[in-house]
Amino acid sequence: MHDSIAAIRTSVRYIRSSPSRLQKFRSCVEKEKIDYKGGLVLDVQTRWNSTYLMLDVALKFEKAFTRYEDEDDKFLSYFNEKENGKKRIGPPPTSTDWQAASVFVKFLSTFYEITLKFSGTLHVTSNNFYHEICEVQAILSDLAASNDDFLSSMATSMKGKYDKWAI
C-alpha cells in the first residue's frame, strides 16, 4: 500500500469515528460549496475495489479535508498517536497525496467497471467478456510503460499476475 492511501484512510477513519467530527466535516463541505450528496466511505484494506470507492469519494472532498485540518485542533495530533503499538502514517494528506490518489483512482476505475460487468452476470463466459479481458491486458501494458515510476511498478506487478493467470 502506498503512504498516500494510508494518509487518506486515516483521515476518513478519524472523521467517521465521531458524530461531532462528521458534523464539523459536513460544515466544511458546505463552506467549500462542494456539491456532492454522498458521504465518506471507509475501505476494507484488503479489498482494492473498496479502496477505489474510498479514494473516489475522498477526492471529491479534498478541499473540505484541507479546511477540516485547519478547523479541528485534534486532527493533526491523531496522526501521531499509536494504533496497535505502531505510529500511524503521518502527516495528514498533502497535495502530493491527493495527486497520488487521483492516479490510483484513474488506474483502478477501469478495473472496477470491468469487475462490475463480471459480477453483474450470472453466467460469465469467455465470449461475453473477451473484449474486457483484452482491455485489461492493453491497459496493464500501457501503464507498465508509463513514465510515472510508481504507476509503472504497480502495473508491471499486476501484469505479471495477469500473464500468469492468462496462460
Side-chain angles (χ1 to χ4, degrees):
M1 271 304 169
H2 197 269
D3 289 347
S4 297
I5 294 174
I8 293 169
R9 178 183 296 118
T10 302
S11 296
V12 170
R13 183 182 302 124
Y14 175 81
I15 291 167
R16 285 180 43 111
S17 68
S18 157
S20 62
R21 292 174 187 165
L22 204 49
Q23 186 57 40
K24 187 181 280 191
F25 184 76
R26 287 185 186 127
S27 173
C28 292
V29 169
E30 289 174 15
K31 289 175 185 174
E32 290 296 331
K33 297 177 179 25
I34 297 170
D35 187 30
Y36 180 74
K37 301 302 177 201
L40 291 174
V41 176
L42 184 61
D43 71 334
V44 176
Q45 293 182 34
T46 57
R47 307 275 317 237
W48 66 265
N49 54 342
S50 72
T51 300
Y52 162 76
L53 292 172
M54 177 189 70
L55 294 175
D56 188 45
V57 170
L59 281 166
K60 292 171 177 48
F61 293 123
E62 178 181 354
K63 290 180 181 178
F65 277 104
T66 302
R67 179 179 285 266
Y68 188 88
E69 186 176 335
D70 294 335
E71 294 190 11
D72 185 342
D73 299 334
K74 296 177 184 167
F75 184 66
L76 291 175
S77 64
Y78 180 75
F79 282 83
N80 295 321
E81 294 174 5
K82 290 192 174 191
E83 183 176 56
N84 299 327
K86 296 180 181 177
K87 186 176 179 278
R88 287 190 178 95
I89 300 294
T94 63
S95 61
T96 304
D97 293 324
W98 290 110
Q99 289 171 350
S102 180
V103 170
F104 277 112
V105 166
K106 182 179 175 185
F107 179 78
L108 292 174
S109 66
T110 303
F111 299 103
Y112 181 76
E113 295 299 324
I114 290 171
T115 300
L116 288 180
K117 288 179 185 176
F118 281 123
S119 63
T121 302
L122 293 175
H123 306 287
V124 178
T125 58
S126 59
N127 63 322
N128 291 341
F129 294 102
Y130 179 75
H131 174 72
E132 282 81 7
I133 292 170
C134 291
E135 185 178 350
V136 167
Q137 182 180 22
I139 290 167
L140 289 174
S141 295
D142 289 347
L143 292 173
S146 170
N147 291 334
D148 183 318
D149 291 338
F150 180 73
L151 192 57
S152 175
S153 171
M154 189 167 54
T156 300
S157 173
M158 288 179 75
K159 186 172 179 339
K161 291 175 184 178
Y162 175 89
D163 290 345
K164 184 177 178 181
W165 171 80
I167 293 177

